[in-house]
Structure formats: C-alpha cells, structure tokens
Amino acid sequence: MNSDKILKYILFAASLLILLISGAMILSLVQGSLPSFRQFGWKFLISDKWDPTRGREQYGALLFIAGTLFTSILALILAIPLAFSTSLFVAEYFRNTGMASVVSTLVDLLAGIPSIIYGLWGFYILRPFIVDIGLSSQGYGIFTSGLILAIMIIPYATSLSNTTIMMIPNELKEAAYSLGATRLEVIWNVILPNARSGMTASYILAFGRALGETLAVTMLIGNSNNMPTGLFSTGNTMASVIANQFGEASGLQLSSLIEIGLLLFVITTIINAIGKYIIKKFA
Amino acid sequence: MKRNNLFLALIAVLYVIGTTAKAQLSGAGATFPLPFYNMAFQQYSKTSGEKVTYGGVGSGAGIKSLSDKVVDFGASDAFLSDKEMAAMPAPVVHIPTCSGAVVVAFNLPGVESIKLTSAVLVDIFMGKIKNWNDASLKSINPSVKFPDLAITVVYRSDGSGTTNMFTDYLTKVSKEWASKLGSGKTVNWLTGIGAKGNPGVAGTISQTKGAIGYVGSEYSFAQKIPTAYLQNKAGKFIKPTLATVSAAGKGTIPTDTRIMLTNSDATLAYPISGFTWLLIYKEQNYNNRSLAQAEATLKLIDWMLEKDAQTIASQVNYAQLPAGVVKQAKAILRTVTYNGKPILK
Amino acid sequence: MTQMNVLLENKKMNFIPYFFKGRKVKNGLFLSAVIFFSLITISMVLLIIGTMIFKGYHQINFAFFTQTPPNTFEAMMAKSSGKLIPGGIANGITGSLYMVALASVIAIPFGVLIGIYLYENRKKRYAGIIRDITDVLQGVPSIVIGLIVYLWVVVHITNGYSIFAGSVALSIMMLPLIVRSTEESLKMIPDSLKEAAIALGTPYYKVVWRVLIPTSFTGLMTGILLAISRILGETAPLMLTALGNPAINWNIVKPGAAVPLLIWQFYNDPNMVDLIWSSTLFLMGFVLILNLLAKWIAARRKF
C-alpha cells in the first residue's frame, strides 16, 4: 500500500465521523421521541396545543415550527444585505487597508459574544428602543428576536465570504478592468460568480446558526404559545421551548420536547435542501 | 515521534491526577436554592476540605441525573410523586434544606403596597381582571389610588419550581384554576408574557408599567422589589418575610417531609411557601460507590441541617427550617444505608 | 450613434464603453449602499461592545483573573457598601481554556481531514451526503447536542459530569464550521497549482501537506477561529455535560467550570448580576487576541 492509498483511506475514515455523530444523534432523538409519537402520531406536526397540565397533557409542534421559521428567515433577510456589504467592504473596496482589518476584527468579535449576553443586550437596550420608537407596546416579538438573530449571524455570513472573495485570482479582475469595466461590473461579473459557492455556504451556515439559537431568542420573543400573526406579535421557537422546559420536564412532556428536537433536525435538512436547489437553479 | 510521546505523557498525567484526587461530590438540580447551596458548599469545602460541585440545571434534569447515577445527590423544589418514586431505579429519600416562597411583584407608579385576596389573584392571572382600576381591587384596598392602566401578567417561560409552587397554591384556592390550568412546572397560561428566569420576570416587571408577576422570594428580598400582601387561609393579609415563610413549615409535616406548604393553616404563615429538598438513594452501595463517597455525601447533607448552614440560609434570604423539620430530616438521614447498615449514627 | 445602439441592444456585451454616465452612476450608488450597510453593521457592533465595556470594565482587576467567584453574601455586602464585588472567574477561565483546547485537538484534525475529503471527492454522491449532513449539524440547537453527549458520554463513558464530556460537546459544535471552511478554501485554489505539483511527481500526501494546506491556510484559520469563538460562549451544552465547578479543576473526568456557565450562574443570582459584563469582556478579549494572532500569522506568511 503506497502512501497515496493510505491517505485516501484516512480521509474516508474521517468522513465517517460525521455519519457517526449524526447517526448517534438521530438514534437518541428517535428513541426519546417514541413515547410522544405513540401518543400523538402525525397530528403532533399540525397541532397548536401545548398544555402540560397533568391529566390532560396535549402537545403539538406547529406553534414552534412557525416561530422558528419566521424568526430565522427574517434574520437571514435582515442579515444578508448587511453581511454582503460588509464582506465587500472588507474584502474588495477597502481591502488590505487598516480600516478593513479593524472592521473585520470587530465583526469577528460578534461571534464570540455568548448568546445570553445578546439576549440581555436585546432586553436592556434594543427592547426599550423598539418600544420608544413606537413599533410595539412591549417590545417582545418576532421582529426583535429576528433582529438580534441577524446581528448574531453576521460574522458567520461574512467570515467565509471574505475568504472566498479575497482568494479570487487577481488576473481575473485585472482582465475585466482592462476591458473597461467599472468596479460594480467586476464585482457582479467576476467576483460573485466565482465566490458564489463560498458565499452560499456561509449563508447556509449562518441560517443554521439562526435556526438553532436558543437563549437570545428566548429572552426576546415573549414565550407565548400562540401563532404569530404579525411582525410584532409574540410567539415561541422550537429551540427556545426545548431550552426553557427541558430542565424541568419529565415523562410525556420530555418526550415531546425531544420530538421537537428531532423535528428541528428534519426541518433544517429540508430547508437546506430547498436553499441549495434554488441556488442551483439560478446558477 | 517526540510529539506523540509528549501527548501520551500528558494523557497519563491527566489520568493520574484524576484517580488520585480526593473524592469530589457533585449534585445537580433546582435553580431556586442555587445561591444558598453555592455559598453553603463553599463554606463546607473550607471547613471539611471536601470539594462540592453543584449545577443549577433544573429540578427535572437533576432528578434525571440522580436516576442515571451520575451525581451524588439531586435537588428539587417539587417532591417526587409516588409514581415518580416507583420509576426511579431504587428507593430515594427526600431531605429538606430550607424553605422559600413565591411573591407577587408589581409595577404601579406611585403605589408602594397592595393587598390581594386569593380570588382576585386568580382572576388577575386568568385574565379576567384586565385593568388596575377594577372594582374588586378597589374594595380590598380602599386607601390606594389605582390608575386606569391595563394589567400585564408576567410568568416564567422556563419550567420552574417557582411556577410549580405558585400554581399549586392557585389550584388549592380556586376550583376554576384547578380545572382550567392545574399546577405544574409549566402551565398553559391564558394571558401575559413569559420571561426567562427570576431576573427575566423581575426585569420585565420593573420595565413595564402595570405589570404583575410572580418571583422567587430569595430574589425579591435581595432586590427589594415591592410585593403584595396575600391573604392566607386564616384570613390575615401577610407580607412575605423570612419569618412568615418559616411559619408555613410549623404545621404537621409527614415523616418523609413530602408536602407542599402552600395555603398552610398556620396563622402567621405566608400562603405561597415551600420546602426545597435534596434527594439521595436510600441504599448507597450502587454503581461501585465506595463507603467513603457515601459517608462524604451524608456528612455534607447532615451539615446542611446544622446551625452554621441554616444561618447562611437566612443571611441570603432563604427561610430556615423549623426545629421540628430539622429533627425529622436528620431522622431520615439516619435511615440511609450502605449494604444495609445505616451510615450515620 | 447607431453603433452605440447596437452595443446597447447586444446584451451579451457586458462591458459597454466607459463614457456612458449610467454605469458610473450605478457604480457610485452601489458603493454608497455598501458603505451605508457596512456602517450600520459597524455601529451595531460598536454599540454592543460599547455597552459591555461600559458596564463591565470596572470589575476587571488582578483578582478577576486569579480568584474564584465570591459567594452571594459577600457580593451582597459589597454591593450594599458600594464597593467592587470581590473575587473573580479564575475557575471559569481555566475551565474554558482547558475545554476549548481539548475540543480543538479533537475537532481541528478531523474537521480539516473531512474538508479535504469533501474537496477531493466533490463529484461523488457520498461526499454530497456528508456535506449536507454537515450543514444540518450546524443547525442543531446546542442544547440538543448537550443532551446527546449527556446520554452517550456522561452516562456511559465518564459516569458523571465531566470536562471530557464538555469538550466532546464543544468539538461537535466546531466540526461543521471547520469542515465547510476547509472545503471552500481548498476550492478557491487554482487547479493549475495542484496540477503543477502532481506533474512534478509529488506524492499525494505531500501535495496536500505542502501545497493545498499552506495555500488555503488563511481560509482554514478563519474557520477554526470562528469555531473557537462560537464555542467560547456556549452555555447550554456545557450545563448538561461539564456541569460547572466552584474551584479550578484539571481532572478530566470530573465536572469543570466555564465562563459561560458562570455567566448563567451570575445572571440567576440577584447579587452577582453585575459580574456578567466583565465576564463577557474576558470572552471578547480572548476572541480579540485570537483574531489578532491569526492576522499576524497570516501577514507573516506573505501569501
């Protein structure tokens, strides 16, 4: 066996780790959800009840699915223009200047802030601000959580994008400039097509981060078990109901929470697949 | 090659440190007594040299940890029901360590204190009384000027012993509440917003005019939050204080101490009070547990019932156990065995 | 004029002669939009970091780094007499650094290897599946990862809450970021570079070690940095795996402290709430140092 083959086997073996982890995860989640699934069946997905009262427990995931999707998609919509601009700022327009260095470091710092701090900052600073400018009467809700989520995921959306934009060979850009292209045209026709793969990957990672975020959203979404009717209504998300009730749950409630965890896994898969499909179509 | 050897040496060192270190005790459970336990265990480490780690992961997770046998003791604000006891792998005992209460906090500009009867309390939290200038509030508090302000109910979004105690009281005093919402660590609230943890609820109340909610007493005492006087079973309006909370434990307590102290009939008792317990297995020889480890666990819990620990409790706004309960708790501890023989004399 | 019209109509012709004002205006507008949105981002970052600095700087002193947290009574006394809360977060700092180091040792080699695998086998269906699963892993809430590691490690391997379990949970959270940024950085390397090396007869492992990894080094580092920044601030998974510890602990099979766990503890304690800001400042400071270190290494490589 020559060294090439050995390396190939090592690489393949490493990839099995992902299967191992996700397999263990799915196995444990399915095992834990069985009692709840046996009790509620598929109705769990469309039921909007969440009643932990002993003696007539009724659980359903619909409210949380809605809350999760609303907040995460809103977060991505808000974050993309911000992240995209910051990437271009750092990696293209002001590339290699001190200012770009400072800005990129500042943005990367955002990734290190614990989510509880985001929640607290949102609670003490953002929420009163939203109440003051009259958008909502108590400041909790989908919009506030979505906004905090957007800020939280910006470093994920910019980091990889910056790298891919900066790694585009200069010759390609110089060729376009020499043909008389403006900066915008170079960005649109040279940089974007080449960096598209990396940028998409970073947005998917950012979206994944938003879907799974717990503490920050929990502190700003109002935690009311109702279907969100507007941008400023309160609601609840899958990750935050799990985080909120997990420590104190047992029996059927615990099983339902685990089933919600499993659902989150499934929904993330579906949305990622849809996203990748859309991007392929536009290629 | 050199790097590999270094790595292996490091692992060996870590392992040796692991096996020769003194037996550490670990426990997990309720967040309610967290400040008290942290301080008490810190003091205990200083005097006995035994290191104790406690994680406030929640009563449910704590009981699960005990059930999975990954901790020396669990901690819970809600005692295990008979059904839950049967579901544990082996019999467990409950040892109360202190009491706490749930207080009703509010934010009414210009108003320092209000009285609430149980009926009005229920109606507010069910959303039936929607405004502070409601007639029922006026009739109990004739001297208070209530503004025309909507009531915003604030509850705990995370499952908690505080919610359990609060709803247990409401269930006892209102048939309607019992049938519509019942009691538990989380309930299906009919109105209001959920905030996370005591600080979340207290913070929301202090930032929202007209808000009313329930908070753990250790928190409200420390933050000096304005709280309501509640009418107890004897008919008196009681202010929550360490004394009135302790008073709730002076009635008859069953031998195994598994009782909710809410709606106590002691005259000066604050109506929403309760114990918090530590849970351990009755038979301590499980999972290759050493006698030394079992002894260490019991010594710790015994110390928690003594004067030093109980004084710490009141220093940090938890109510001490009445003398009768301490006696009962110590008796329970002395039924805990190792291979059938009681560990403590 | 007609020549211009022809050019305008020919949409395939992307580069219309420069002296058309329309393109210059668009260019300028785009630049303004980019600057505008970047400013919004920067001001939000400054606002958040500024709040933390303002609320937490006075709590940072030598004791902060060397002592363990005070008990709630000491904090209460200090607060009521207007003094600084005594003690510090030494147990959290050592615990966090320890667990992050362990998690990195697990996650970085595996993450990079998997990234290389995905890059080399792009066309294969199996690789596509691995890639998709990796992206999904990124979206798993940290508490679910904590639960899984509790079930598999705390209960079955270490038979108790432990630093090892905490590191395993953190390493799982690092993996997707490292894998994907490795793969994407490798993809940006021009094929010509790799082909030149192979044409010279370089064995495959040398191509990887001497050509691919060094060229994509900055990208790899970015992914690793982002992963480390993320796990530094994670609370939920550690609550179910490392539990926390009031003292400094080096024993890998016993519970360990971490800064985010301490932050959670402080948050729930009415007397110690003020300590959360200074603790966050520590985390921020550490991320900053890592960032600067990475930039310095990147600059020295002269690529």
Side-chain angles (χ1 to χ4, degrees):
Chain A
M1 261 222 260
N2 60 10
S3 62
D4 276 8
K5 266 215 161 139
I6 297 179
L7 183 58
K8 285 203 162 63
Y9 280 131
I10 292 180
L11 289 179
F12 178 71
S15 75
L16 292 174
L17 183 66
I18 298 280
L19 288 180
L20 186 70
I21 295 175
S22 47
M25 210 171 281
I26 295 181
L27 183 67
S28 300
L29 287 176
V30 167
Q31 260 183 335
S33 325
L34 277 178
S36 170
F37 187 69
R38 271 197 283 261
Q39 179 90 3
F40 301 114
W42 295 108
K43 280 208 293 217
F44 190 74
L45 287 159
I46 50 173
S47 161
D48 62 352
K49 302 233 171 306
W50 189 267
D51 191 353
T53 321
R54 276 189 284 267
R56 47 160 213 270
E57 287 171 82
Q58 264 269 44
Y59 300 112
L62 189 64
L63 299 169
F64 310 108
I65 297 177
T68 306
L69 289 179
F70 287 164
T71 46
S72 305
I73 294 178
L74 179 63
L76 198 61
I77 293 177
L78 290 174
I80 286 185
L82 294 175
F84 184 55
S85 309
T86 315
S87 281
L88 286 177
F89 185 99
V90 167
E92 178 55 28
Y93 281 105
F94 293 95
R95 183 174 170 170
N96 289 326
T97 61
M99 186 159 49
S101 206
V102 167
V103 170
S104 83
T105 309
L106 280 179
V107 171
D108 285 344
L109 281 183
L110 283 181
I113 303 180
S115 44
I116 187 175
I117 300 292
Y118 272 114
L120 286 174
W121 183 84
F123 181 72
Y124 286 124
I125 313 257
L126 191 60
R127 196 182 73 101
F129 177 67
I130 293 198
V131 175
D132 280 342
I133 61 177
L135 284 175
S136 156
S137 57
Q138 13 87 334
Y140 288 112
I142 304 278
F143 181 72
T144 325
S145 334
L147 186 53
I148 278 286
L149 270 183
I151 302 177
M152 288 178 84
I153 65 177
I154 287 177
Y156 297 85
T158 54
S159 195
L160 194 52
S161 302
N162 287 359
T163 313
T164 35
I165 293 177
M166 286 205 274
M167 281 183 85
I168 292 180
N170 280 326
E171 304 88 60
L172 288 176
K173 293 190 282 190
E174 283 159 14
Y177 280 126
S178 67
L179 283 173
T182 61
R183 200 101 194 236
L184 170 57
E185 282 156 358
V186 171
I187 292 176
W188 202 251
N189 296 294
V190 177
I191 294 186
L192 274 193
N194 282 299
R196 201 214 325 265
S197 167
M199 291 178 79
T200 313
S202 67
Y203 293 148
I204 290 183
L205 284 177
F207 187 63
R209 181 80 182 82
L211 283 174
E213 176 48 42
T214 27
L215 278 179
V217 174
T218 274
M219 295 177 80
L220 292 168
I221 197 164
N223 298 295
S224 52
N225 290 342
N226 55 259
M227 190 61 91
T229 48
L231 205 56
F232 294 97
S233 59
T234 56
N236 216 338
T237 67
M238 289 191 269
S240 71
V241 75
I242 296 175
N244 267 330
Q245 303 188 359
F246 181 75
E248 297 288 348
S250 55
L252 190 60
Q253 188 179 11
L254 184 61
S255 180
S256 299
L257 287 174
I258 295 180
E259 191 172 353
I260 290 187
L262 184 61
L263 270 177
L264 188 55
F265 205 87
V266 169
I267 289 179
T268 312
T269 315
I270 296 177
I271 296 194
N272 277 345
I274 294 179
K276 287 182 180 159
Y277 180 71
I278 293 180
I279 288 155
K280 260 211 190 115
K281 275 271 154 176
F282 278 104
Chain B
M1 260 298 115
K2 270 212 198 130
R3 243 188 281 170
N4 280 343
N5 284 341
L6 203 61
F7 194 61
L8 287 171
L10 188 62
I11 302 272
V13 166
L14 288 172
Y15 183 72
V16 166
I17 294 180
T19 45
T20 53
K22 198 166 180 187
Q24 286 186 21
L25 292 175
S26 67
T31 39
F32 156 71
L34 189 62
F36 166 45
Y37 285 172
N38 277 338
M39 183 166 169
F41 295 158
Q42 201 187 60
Q43 184 66 19
Y44 185 70
S45 292
K46 273 202 215 131
T47 55
S48 75
E50 197 72 61
K51 290 220 189 301
V52 188
T53 304
Y54 179 74
V57 297
S59 303
I63 293 173
K64 188 169 192 330
S65 303
L66 186 66
S67 170
D68 290 334
K69 300 182 180 157
V70 292
V71 284
D72 295 292
F73 58 90
S76 175
D77 303 330
F79 59 84
L80 297 179
S81 65
D82 291 334
K83 202 165 133 202
E84 288 162 338
M85 297 261 273
M88 294 290 278
V92 298
V93 293
H94 293 66
I95 297 123
T97 51
C98 67
S99 342
V102 176
V103 305
V104 176
F106 60 93
N107 179 343
L108 265 187
V111 179
E112 286 298 309
S113 85
I114 55 175
K115 297 198 185 101
L116 294 173
T117 62
S118 56
V120 167
L121 189 63
V122 168
D123 284 343
I124 290 179
F125 277 87
M126 282 185 82
K128 287 193 184 162
I129 299 182
K130 296 197 212 284
N131 197 306
W132 284 103
N133 62 8
D134 192 285
S136 49
L137 280 167
K138 198 88 180 103
S139 61
I140 327 171
N141 298 275
S143 56
V144 176
K145 279 191 89 66
F146 286 105
D148 177 8
L149 185 58
I151 298 183
T152 311
V153 167
V154 185
Y155 51 84
R156 285 283 288 271
S157 64
D158 45 333
S160 77
T162 317
T163 305
N164 188 40
M165 211 191 285
F166 187 60
T167 50
D168 183 79
Y169 172 71
L170 294 177
T171 310
K172 281 184 179 163
V173 297
S174 160
K175 283 207 175 51
E176 201 186 353
W177 184 279
S179 68
K180 281 217 179 112
L181 289 112
S183 75
K185 302 214 184 101
T186 21
V187 294
N188 207 9
W189 297 95
L190 298 173
T191 173
I193 350 172
K196 191 167 177 62
N198 273 326
V201 174
T204 309
I205 295 177
S206 67
Q207 288 199 5
T208 317
K209 286 209 198 40
I212 188 171
Y214 60 93
V215 187
S217 57
E218 81 289 1
Y219 197 84
S220 68
F221 290 160
Q223 298 284 60
K224 305 200 183 10
I225 299 175
T227 59
Y229 285 61
L230 292 185
Q231 193 181 41
N232 68 3
K233 206 166 180 189
K236 291 191 180 311
F237 286 98
I238 304 285
K239 183 179 163 143
T241 64
L242 288 181
T244 56
V245 172
S246 274
K250 293 205 174 117
T252 9
I253 313 283
T255 341
D256 64 0
T257 71
R258 287 162 62 215
I259 181 171
M260 289 299 284
L261 297 176
T262 46
N263 212 22
S264 158
D265 39 20
T267 359
L268 289 172
Y270 178 73
I272 318 186
S273 313
F275 288 136
T276 188
W277 293 269
L278 290 177
L279 287 86
I280 52 175
Y281 285 105
K282 189 152 188 295
E283 170 49 54
Q284 284 283 303
N285 187 4
Y286 57 87
N287 244 18
N288 293 325
R289 223 167 133 70
S290 67
L291 177 61
Q293 188 85 3
E295 277 178 342
T297 310
L298 286 180
K299 282 214 184 88
L300 170 68
I301 303 184
D302 200 47
W303 182 83
M304 291 294 279
L305 300 167
E306 310 253 310
K307 189 156 172 295
D308 286 341
Q310 292 289 308
T311 318
I312 292 178
S314 48
Q315 269 183 332
V316 288
N317 296 311
Y318 292 83
Q320 296 190 18
L321 296 172
V325 178
V326 172
K327 247 174 93 183
Q328 280 178 274
K330 281 189 175 248
I332 296 176
L333 261 187
R334 274 135 190 85
T335 65
V336 176
T337 59
Y338 190 85
N339 278 336
K341 286 172 49 194
I343 306 177
L344 291 177
K345 306 294 170 276
Chain C
M1 269 300 124
T2 39
Q3 251 189 337
M4 297 305 163
N5 287 341
V6 167
L7 284 170
L8 277 172
E9 273 159 38
N10 191 351
K11 289 221 173 98
K12 285 213 184 107
M13 183 72 209
N14 284 322
F15 303 140
I16 304 170
Y18 191 69
F19 47 81
F20 260 53
K21 281 279 169 95
R23 292 166 56 226
K24 241 180 149 179
V25 167
K26 269 209 278 188
N27 192 42
L29 277 176
F30 187 75
L31 177 59
S32 323
V34 164
I35 295 188
F36 174 66
F37 282 117
S38 304
L39 277 178
I40 294 185
T41 314
I42 298 169
S43 41
M44 286 206 272
V45 175
L46 289 177
L47 198 63
I48 297 179
I49 297 184
T51 314
M52 280 189 289
I53 296 180
F54 181 64
K55 283 187 185 254
Y57 79 91
H58 48 261
Q59 199 66 39
I60 302 209
N61 46 30
F62 187 62
F64 182 75
F65 292 97
T66 52
Q67 292 180 13
T68 51
N71 57 49
T72 187
F73 185 64
E74 287 165 359
M76 188 183 356
M77 293 280 92
K79 247 179 106 176
S80 53
S81 57
K83 290 210 273 269
L84 230 52
I85 300 181
I89 57 171
N91 53 340
I93 294 177
T94 47
S96 274
L97 292 179
Y98 193 23
M99 278 192 270
V100 167
L102 281 177
S104 304
V105 160
I106 303 174
I108 293 178
F110 274 109
V112 171
L113 283 176
I114 298 174
I116 297 175
Y117 178 81
L118 288 181
Y119 163 70
E120 289 291 341
N121 296 283
R122 249 165 303 176
K123 309 272 193 307
K124 295 216 193 113
R125 201 155 166 235
Y126 172 73
I129 296 178
I130 299 282
R131 190 180 298 120
D132 290 339
I133 297 181
T134 310
D135 283 341
V136 172
L137 265 183
Q138 168 74 351
V140 178
S142 48
I143 190 166
V144 173
I145 295 185
L147 170 65
I148 304 293
V149 176
Y150 172 81
L151 291 174
W152 292 84
V153 181
V154 174
V155 178
H156 288 112
I157 299 187
T158 56
N159 213 31
Y161 291 99
S162 62
I163 289 184
F164 179 65
S167 316
V168 169
L170 293 180
S171 64
I172 296 179
M173 298 184 74
M174 289 175 82
L175 267 182
L177 287 165
I178 300 181
V179 168
R180 289 302 252 129
S181 50
T182 305
E183 186 195 356
E184 294 297 330
S185 306
L186 288 173
K187 270 159 105 170
M188 297 307 291
I189 301 177
D191 283 334
S192 47
L193 216 60
K194 187 174 157 197
E195 284 160 11
I198 297 179
L200 286 170
T202 325
Y204 180 52
Y205 77 90
K206 266 214 179 131
V207 173
V208 168
W209 190 244
R210 293 285 180 150
V211 178
L212 294 182
I213 292 195
T215 323
S216 58
F217 194 73
T218 343
L220 290 194
M221 244 192 343
T222 310
I224 293 174
L225 213 67
L226 197 60
I228 292 182
S229 306
R230 182 191 177 177
I231 60 168
L232 267 178
E234 283 293 338
T235 326
L238 291 180
M239 263 208 275
L240 297 175
T241 50
L243 194 70
N245 199 318
I248 299 178
N249 174 39
W250 299 106
N251 187 342
I252 204 173
V253 294
K254 289 284 177 193
V259 178
L261 287 176
L262 286 178
I263 292 181
W264 176 246
Q265 199 181 300
F266 295 154
Y267 172 69
N268 278 307
D269 188 320
N271 300 307
M272 307 222 263
V273 155
D274 296 332
L275 287 173
I276 59 177
W277 305 106
S278 41
S279 307
T280 315
L281 274 183
F282 166 76
L283 291 177
M284 300 265 78
F286 191 70
V287 170
L288 182 64
I289 293 176
L290 281 182
N291 254 282
L292 294 176
L293 197 68
K295 289 203 156 69
W296 180 74
I297 295 179
R300 289 199 63 191
R301 292 178 58 83
K302 300 187 181 93
F303 272 131

